[in-house]
Amino acid sequence: MAGQAADGNYGNQQWGASADTGPEDGDNTAEEKNNHTGCPRSPTVQKCELIHVACVCAGHNASRDVVTLVKSVLFHRRNPLHFHFITDTVANRILSSLFQSWMVPSVQVSFYDADELKSEVSWIPNKHYSGIYGLMKLTLTKALPSDLSKVIVLDTDITFATDIAELWGIFRKFTDKQVIGLVENQSDWYLGNLWKNHKPWPALGRGFNTGVILLYLERLRRIGWEQMWRLTAERELMSMLSTSLADQDIFNAFIKQNPVLVHQLPCFWNVQLSDHTRSEQCYTEVSDLKVIHWNSPKKLRVKNKHVEFFRNLYLTFLEYDGNLLRRELFGCPTQASPESIKLQKALEELDEDDQCYDFRRERLTVHRVHLYFLQYDYTPTEDNTDITLVAQLSMDRLQMLEAICKHWEGPISLALYMSDAEAQQFLRYAQASEVLKNRKNVGYHIVYKEGQFYPVNLVRNVALKNANTPYVFLTDVDFLPMYGLYDYLRKSVVQMDMAHTKKALVVPAFETLRYRLSFPKSKAELLSMLDMGTLYTFRYHVWPKGHAPTNYAKWRTATTPYKVEWEPDFEPYVVVRRECPEYDQRFVGFGWNKVSHIMELDAQEYDLMVLPNAFMIHMPHAPSFDISKFRSSSSYRNCLNTLKDEFHQDLSRKYGSAALKYLTARKQQPYSYNLF
């Protein structure tokens, strides 16, 4: 049902308050002095009072925008919060993952299926760019839980400059009859004088803007809100034919007929930055600002006298490190989630005197994850042979993205390890690239930085788990696939009967030391370049163990796929079914992150099959920071060796006799390092 949360509540520590937020004004009860937690209340809002906030959010862009709004609210807040998101499928997937991994104390999140509400408003013709979702706020009395009495409703393009509790406190200023709190519209839209024959919907004076709304849900239900707004809309549509400003037109027509029901908020609670507004009259000092509303389609490019100041305030939260918002609320009791209890117990069991403590601590770090950071659209193929290229990268590999998109036309799943600020740089880079912005079948997933190590296998797993095809090509971002590899691999999947057998198709890897390369268009051309010394088999001169089992000598003349056996330190790039084992996340930074994965594939009895007409080429780049640490630190290498031993033991416990050969190989080669 629309009135039930589509997903559970998330958060490191959850506030266990009921939806009822306390007495209304005039109720002289003990609860007015103390809420259910026993915290003393201030003159306006109780110290630990739960504040409810609702947003309608649909699609990839709105999901990105709402994060900045949430950051600005969390930055200033001193109260527990419960966010209610009315979402489409896309926004639900993105935001549920984000909040579950964010683990903000004293924050609950609930989701409600917008699809179940569409029939409530789909009959209303709407010209606004927000589409049907721009009408959803009309349905909140039905969408939200029936025992929720009050809620602050916000557009996604809002930025807070103060504690949201101040706004929540205004509910106590409502008269007994008032049910809606709004700020006056700051443009001349509803005055009807913007252009010749401009005919807006009816409004009280200048009308009201619905970017910030205080909804007294309990009272709205009592007066029959659902029927009242419908009758208002039906009546006005007989002459207006459609809405121009979505829900705002209907709210204003309703208020015009029922002015006693509205509580007018001071205009600094919704400073509207569309062109030609009177927003400058809402403040004289910076300290007057409460809420900024980017309600022009131009957003940050809007014309305003103080737009630079507003833009800088917005950018502060846009690039603000969300990890810093995981702070406890002082003086408010919290209810830990099962996930946070389990995590805390695991952390307490770690030995801080262990020389590998930092490695073990990193494995328990919960990184924020923002899935599908950019617009994504993928339609599954009918033949069930589709393959997603899966890779991970950081900021220093961004330059590879355009080339990969030119070489691989199929779907791509990329996990990017970045700070909040770097994620915004990436966004600007992608939006400025003709190649990237024209590719909608690339899923970009941001894993936010935290800790001292690069959690390479965690990042890989994010990309792997969010591939949407039956098969995946597990690669690294600094490799360029041969032209036509996507189609060749799809044919190979059928020829090798991948749907019914356990196979890992090996794509032979080569490398060039030249930054400018005339990319070979065929195997014959590649072999010629190999003979001339323009190309090399990958890492043959520094780490031959990594790819020697591919048997490049055999590959030169092979015309059919051939099987190779696992050998110690083998780390080929492979095509496997999406349900393959995940990467082992104990391996962070440099060393054994891919080797361990191939070992587990072998332990699960995958056949390693080398493809005779496939190849990929590694492009040169500067060494990563983690490989530099590996080369220079003996303790780093010793810890990696310890992790290897533990991995072997776990593999033996998991796969029994099938894993004995790994232990034997380990004893024969106890210290095997690539220091170059």
Side-chain angles (χ1 to χ4, degrees), residues 244-488:
S244 296
L245 299 181
D247 66 82
Q248 185 168 295
D249 285 338
I250 297 172
F251 270 105
N252 273 290
F254 171 80
I255 290 168
K256 173 83 170 178
Q257 294 295 316
N258 305 277
V260 71
L261 299 180
V262 68
H263 179 94
Q264 184 168 335
L265 304 175
C267 70
F268 49 63
W269 283 112
N270 185 352
V271 178
Q272 300 149 39
L273 297 184
S274 54
D275 289 343
H276 313 299
T277 72
R278 302 162 71 245
S279 59
E280 293 170 24
Q281 299 180 24
C282 292
Y283 56 90
T284 55
E285 303 288 340
V286 172
S287 58
D288 294 338
L289 291 169
K290 303 289 187 184
V291 173
I292 300 164
H293 186 189
W294 303 89
N295 62 319
S296 166
K298 298 179 182 178
K299 301 305 178 188
L300 298 187
R301 294 176 289 106
V302 71
K303 296 176 183 177
N304 184 280
K305 182 178 178 181
H306 301 110
V307 71
E308 278 302 314
F309 173 81
F310 295 128
R311 187 183 291 120
N312 288 335
L313 183 64
Y314 172 80
L315 293 175
T316 296
F317 292 115
L318 187 72
E319 300 185 353
Y320 190 80
D321 184 352
N323 298 325
L324 300 178
L325 298 168
R326 288 169 161 168
R327 61 180 185 267
E328 299 280 351
L329 287 184
F330 181 74
C332 289
T334 54
Q335 180 180 347
S337 67
E339 293 85 359
S340 64
I341 293 172
K342 183 178 178 181
L343 177 61
Q344 188 60 39
K345 183 178 180 181
L347 287 170
E348 290 171 357
E349 290 174 352
L350 293 180
D351 179 5
E352 294 190 23
D353 294 327
D354 180 356
Q355 66 169 344
C356 301
Y357 171 81
D358 290 338
F359 284 84
R360 303 189 195 285
R361 176 67 179 81
E362 174 60 42
R363 191 181 181 185
L364 296 175
T365 300
V366 179
H367 293 263
R368 280 180 300 134
V369 177
H370 187 133
L371 302 177
Y372 301 102
F373 196 66
L374 301 183
Q375 192 74 30
Y376 175 79
D377 184 27
Y378 169 71
T379 303
T381 59
E382 295 180 0
D383 60 4
N384 260 352
T385 65
D386 213 355
I387 303 170
T388 297
L389 184 151
V390 172
Q392 56 79 31
L393 68 151
S394 53
M395 199 68 182
D396 58 350
R397 299 290 191 271
L398 273 189
Q399 74 280 1
M400 290 297 300
L401 293 185
E402 288 190 350
I404 285 177
C405 286
K406 291 176 181 177
H407 280 248
W408 179 273
E409 61 269 32
I412 301 175
S413 181
L414 295 172
L416 301 90
Y417 189 59
M418 295 179 166
S419 66
D420 293 73
E422 287 173 338
Q424 295 307 315
Q425 293 177 46
F426 160 68
L427 176 62
R428 293 190 290 270
Y429 173 82
Q431 290 175 336
S433 166
E434 290 297 326
V435 174
L436 299 188
K437 70 183 181 183
N438 289 328
R439 284 289 295 271
K440 302 302 182 188
N441 64 345
V442 181
Y444 298 99
H445 315 296
I446 306 296
V447 179
Y448 286 102
K449 284 183 176 179
E450 187 173 4
Q452 60 173 306
F453 294 106
Y454 191 125
V456 59
N457 277 356
L458 179 147
V459 182
R460 281 197 176 105
N461 284 336
V462 169
L464 173 59
K465 287 185 282 190
N466 289 284
N468 296 305
T469 56
Y471 304 96
V472 288
F473 173 30
L474 306 177
T475 183
D476 278 335
V477 77
D478 34 23
F479 279 88
L480 290 182
M482 73 177 198
Y483 290 112
L485 182 62
Y486 171 61
D487 289 332
Y488 175 70

Side-chain angles (χ1 to χ4, degrees), residues 49-83:
E49 185 175 342
L50 181 64
I51 295 173
H52 292 269
V53 182
C55 288
V56 177
C57 188
H60 302 85
N61 295 339
S63 298
R64 204 170 54 241
D65 293 340
V66 80
V67 175
T68 307
L69 160 63
V70 169
K71 282 183 180 180
S72 71
V73 172
L74 292 177
F75 181 84
H76 297 287
R77 65 104 180 213
R78 289 176 290 179
N79 283 67
L81 298 171
H82 190 154
F83 288 101

